[in-house]
Amino acid sequence: MGTVMITGASRGIGAATARALESDHDLILVGRDADALASVARSCRSARVVTADLTTVDGVSSVADGITSLDGVVHCAGVADLGRIDESDAAEWRRAFEINVLAVVELTRVLLPALRAARGHVVVINSGAGITAKPGWGSYSASKFALRAVTDTLRGEEPALRVTSIHPGRVDTDMQRAIVAAEGGKYDPSAHLSPDSVATAVRHALDSGPDAHPTEVVLRPRRH
């Protein structure tokens, strides 16, 4: 079913997405942790690893180098630093926008010729925080609102492509454990979505029939 690139593929939703797609896709796994990426790749039928920092020009170039046709890219990489606005400095806001927005924009931009050649699919893992902003989540939520604007804009500018924005609630990942710790709460994995559930949503979006364009998917943990 073609070639799909996954960013943030070393762990969490990115690694789960690789597992969900590996049986019938050739994968390009992108991230910063070479050892973790290699471990994910070994569990895949066909995967190559590109270790890169997508906040740098060289990193983006190394990921896109030599790709002339690409069926899909799934943007999973992201960061979440919590803090009230009166406690958050400019560096925190720059980091959120650099990783959560600008890296997605720049990688997508350089991949557009390859995506156009395949009439490909761009899938962006956003967040419930990209729909509703809450106290203490300022920089993260603002970056995710901006990311939603990016996907909406791209969808209008590139009618030959499909662009899907996925907005999960809290997901059982290392990032979520750090968030709950910062909030001073007790971590309960069962209260969160599993990465595999989000990966299944990615898979369903990519598998949509040629006449369908899944523009936005919202997932929330099911109450027990």
Side-chain angles (χ1 to χ4, degrees):
M1 292 180 66
T3 301
V4 174
M5 177 183 293
I6 305 170
T7 72
S10 62
R11 65 179 70 184
I13 295 170
T17 299
R19 293 192 297 268
L21 301 181
E22 64 85 19
S23 65
D24 53 3
H25 291 79
D26 298 320
L27 302 179
I28 303 170
L29 307 180
V30 181
R32 300 187 189 190
D33 188 330
D35 290 340
L37 286 173
S39 177
V40 175
R42 283 193 294 270
S43 68
C44 298
R45 177 189 58 83
S46 173
R48 70 180 180 90
V49 167
V50 182
T51 306
D53 180 351
L54 294 178
T55 65
T56 68
V57 173
D58 290 344
V60 171
S61 296
S62 69
V63 170
D65 185 43
I67 298 176
T68 58
S69 182
L70 186 65
D71 296 283
V73 57
V74 184
H75 293 282
C76 296
V79 295
D81 296 316
L82 302 191
R84 292 167 48 91
I85 289 177
D86 61 3
E87 299 170 343
S88 305
D89 61 19
E92 178 183 309
W93 286 75
R94 290 191 184 100
R95 170 177 150 87
F97 275 79
E98 190 73 33
I99 296 174
N100 295 346
V101 184
L102 298 179
V104 174
V105 171
E106 185 61 7
L107 181 59
T108 302
R109 183 185 69 80
V110 300
L111 289 174
L112 277 176
L115 288 163
R116 289 167 181 154
R119 292 180 62 84
H121 198 151
V122 178
V123 179
V124 177
I125 304 300
N126 196 298
S127 170
I131 298 173
T132 303
K134 297 179 180 179
W137 291 71
S139 63
Y140 179 71
S141 191
S143 71
K144 292 299 189 176
F145 267 74
L147 187 58
R148 188 179 183 186
V150 169
T151 54
D152 288 349
T153 301
L154 183 66
R155 197 177 296 118
E157 292 178 349
E158 300 288 338
L161 305 184
R162 292 193 288 185
V163 181
T164 302
S165 183
I166 296 181
H167 296 262
R170 296 193 177 214
V171 184
D172 179 23
T173 62
D174 292 341
M175 178 189 292
Q176 193 61 235
R177 290 177 183 274
I179 288 172
V180 173
E183 292 174 328
K186 182 179 180 180
Y187 193 79
D188 178 7
S190 67
H192 309 309
L193 289 162
S194 74
D196 290 340
S197 293
V198 182
T200 297
V202 174
R203 174 88 205 204
H204 285 332
L206 291 172
D207 285 347
S208 298
D211 61 330
H213 189 164
T215 58
E216 190 170 273
V217 178
V218 178
L219 301 172
R220 293 291 181 267
R222 185 176 181 181
R223 293 181 180 273
H224 295 285

